[in-house]
Amino acid sequence: MKIVSAKVVVCSPGRNFVTLKIETDQGVYGIGDATLNGRELAVVSYLEDHVVPCLIGMDPRRIEDIWQYLYRGAYWRRGPVTMRAIAAVDVALWDIKAKMAGMPLYQLMGGRSRDGVMVYGHANGSDIAETVEAVGQYIDMGYKAIRAQTGVPGIKDAYGVGRGKLYYEPADAALPSVTGWDTRKALNYVPKLFEELRKTYGFDHHLLHDGHHRYTPQEAANLGKMLEPFQLFWLEDVTPAENQEAFKLIRQHTVTPLAVGEIFNSIWDAKDLIQNQLIDYIRATIVGAGGLTHLRRIADLAGLYQIRTGCHGATDLSPVTMGAALHFDTWVPNFGIQEYMRHTPETDAVFPHDYRFEAGYLYCGERPGHGVDLDEALAAKYPYKPAFLPVARLQDGTMWNW
Ligand code: GCO
Ligand code: MG
């Protein structure tokens, strides 16, 4: 069996996606996602110029060997561009293998560990009152877990507050827009949001919050401590994780559960955090961390320490990643939660899929493969549009972490 073609499709049905379609000499094809938000074309070039020529003629059944070939063989290891390209190939090959086996992907991975995949949605508003209302709407839709982000008075476009309610899209400008940040104001305001949420809705639902890398370790510890009475499911990316040691300080001061890893691209990014038990949930995901082949290794390492998975699932991860993630989530023994930001109807039409939402859970389908396809004719109607993520600056103009 041979790979006869590998095509990179760029489309923008509401937002940009990079998709890889691998075709074989036996007519079976596989689909992988390679989207890197705000830096999409770098991965297109990496795939078209440096990966696709090597794939032609290879045996698509040798998933592990092809992974090692692309990882070790490049000499230049890791990084978001390389690992997304590898992920796209890997997921397409798992799709092919599962289709050939006539099985949904989760069966091939080891079978079902749970009935449904608990997901969390994104509720946000420009202030506490609006956010409390938005959380209520998610509860009404049946969600068991909700991430709550609020605008903060005095901060211009604080992180996580979208223009729309159901579809929040941060990469929205042809050049990066400038947002503001002020840690003092956020520390004053965010705990009040969670106090209000618990007062209004009680303690039955899981509540999550994303710090989006804004706080120093000491400030993060302070926030975690202030949030303790409100029993969060997790506090995410509360400080940047390049220095994994930083989490020791946070851990010493708070029992609020910590989640990290949506920007991780290999097991090495997470190794110290996991082995020193400094986090509770690992956010690495399929498209970010080298595909299923590599993500399952991260999950297995985490499992040794009772750390659970919480795959990134923002809209910049295409339905292909969502579909594959749901098969992974259905199998992985140490599953925690899955992020679910809904795609627009335009996106859903370009990527026909068989997963479905019901009462706070997503369910993967039973079709052979990962269950997500690409409608190429429809995709061609939505050409690429440059779109950057915003940047953040402090009140005095200093560049900060977005
Ligand atoms: C999340 C995220 C995202 C990212 C986005 C960047 O927790 O879902 O932080 O919304 O900001 O994926 O491309
Ligand atoms: Mg996040």
Side-chain angles (χ1 to χ4, degrees):
M1 187 173 188
K2 280 192 173 67
I3 295 174
V4 292
S5 88
K7 189 175 1 165
V8 183
V9 176
V10 183
C11 63
S12 192
R15 66 156 359 277
N16 291 319
F17 294 109
V18 178
T19 310
L20 179 71
K21 180 171 184 176
I22 297 184
E23 288 170 318
T24 67
D25 59 354
Q26 302 198 4
V28 188
Y29 64 88
I31 306 281
D33 174 26
T35 309
L36 178 57
N37 204 6
R39 296 290 185 273
E40 294 87 359
L41 301 184
V43 192
V44 174
S45 161
Y46 193 102
L47 279 168
E48 285 181 342
D49 298 329
H50 306 291
V51 173
V52 169
C54 310
L55 290 178
I56 307 303
M58 281 186 172
D59 182 344
R61 294 168 299 187
R62 297 182 63 166
I63 299 177
E64 185 64 51
D65 185 59
I66 292 176
W67 196 95
Q68 300 293 339
Y69 180 94
L70 294 173
Y71 183 82
R72 293 171 195 259
Y75 186 60
W76 312 106
R77 296 184 184 198
R78 304 161 58 185
V81 177
T82 300
M83 297 307 279
R84 268 176 163 78
I86 295 178
V89 174
D90 187 74
V91 169
L93 296 183
W94 277 102
D95 194 26
I96 289 171
K97 195 179 277 290
K99 283 174 178 168
M100 282 167 51
M103 289 180 189
L105 184 52
Y106 75 84
Q107 289 291 10
L108 209 54
M109 297 193 71
R112 185 178 284 283
S113 298
R114 57 196 50 79
D115 299 329
V117 169
M118 184 170 73
V119 297
Y120 71 91
H122 284 207
N124 61 77
S126 60
D127 58 15
I128 289 179
E130 242 185 75
T131 310
V132 170
E133 202 191 310
V135 168
Q137 286 161 3
Y138 275 86
I139 291 174
D140 291 345
M141 285 188 277
Y143 282 81
K144 311 282 180 258
I146 302 134
R147 182 187 100 154
Q149 305 292 141
T150 177
V152 179
I155 301 183
K156 179 182 173 281
D157 301 329
Y159 166 76
V161 183
R163 284 176 208 124
K165 287 290 165 231
L166 208 50
Y167 309 111
Y168 156 59
E169 193 54 74
D172 60 355
L175 282 173
S177 52
V178 181
T179 63
W181 185 249
D182 182 319
T183 301
R184 183 64 260 157
K185 289 191 165 75
L187 287 176
N188 290 345
Y189 202 68
V190 170
K192 289 191 192 132
L193 165 67
F194 286 90
E195 187 179 1
E196 210 43 50
L197 285 171
R198 287 309 189 196
K199 253 197 240 158
T200 313
Y201 302 115
F203 282 76
D204 277 356
H205 292 86
H206 298 301
L207 295 179
L208 300 81
H209 185 70
D210 192 345
H212 224 257
H213 322 273
R214 299 293 163 90
Y215 303 89
T216 65
Q218 185 279 339
E219 292 160 355
N222 189 11
L223 178 61
K225 213 166 174 173
M226 286 193 285
L227 290 173
E228 278 173 15
F230 315 118
Q231 298 282 295
L232 264 58
F233 184 91
W234 81 32
L235 180 57
E236 173 188 343
D237 284 341
V238 76
T239 202
E242 285 109 324
N243 172 19
Q244 299 185 34
E245 286 253 319
F247 282 79
K248 281 192 184 150
L249 188 145
I250 305 171
R251 237 352 183 203
Q252 278 159 9
H253 293 286
T254 181
V255 294
T256 294
L258 300 173
V260 176
E262 69 181 32
I263 67 169
F264 288 177
N265 48 70
S266 87
I267 200 165
W268 303 101
D269 295 327
K271 176 180 163 286
D272 294 349
L273 286 173
I274 292 173
Q275 291 185 326
N276 294 316
Q277 302 179 60
L278 298 176
I279 54 172
D280 302 279
Y281 296 92
I282 178 72
R283 299 265 294 132
T285 192
I286 288 166
V287 64
L292 285 160
T293 296
H294 195 63
L295 187 65
R296 66 189 293 169
R297 301 216 156 101
I298 299 177
D300 281 342
L301 178 65
L304 297 180
Y305 302 93
Q306 301 192 51
I307 294 168
R308 291 183 287 169
T309 63
C311 286
H312 187 203
T315 35
D316 44 301
L317 290 79
S318 92
V320 176
T321 289
M322 182 54 75
L326 292 173
H327 285 270
F328 170 82
D329 296 335
T330 297
W331 157 75
V332 70
N334 49 322
F335 171 74
I337 200 165
Q338 168 69 50
E339 181 178 19
Y340 177 42
M341 262 172 100
R342 286 165 192 258
H343 290 111
T344 60
E346 290 79 12
T347 297
D348 283 338
V350 169
F351 297 96
H353 52 261
D354 65 351
Y355 57 79
R356 64 189 170 86
F357 175 84
E358 200 187 310
Y361 294 85
L362 274 172
Y363 297 87
C364 62
E366 292 292 325
R367 254 189 237 155
H370 56 47
V372 187
D373 210 340
L374 171 70
D375 182 334
E376 290 182 66
L378 194 55
K381 295 192 177 146
Y382 298 103
Y384 169 76
K385 269 207 233 135
F388 277 91
L389 287 167
V391 297
R393 289 189 185 276
L394 302 181
Q395 308 280 42
D396 68 357
T398 306
M399 231 4 243
W400 202 242
N401 311 314
W402 179 71

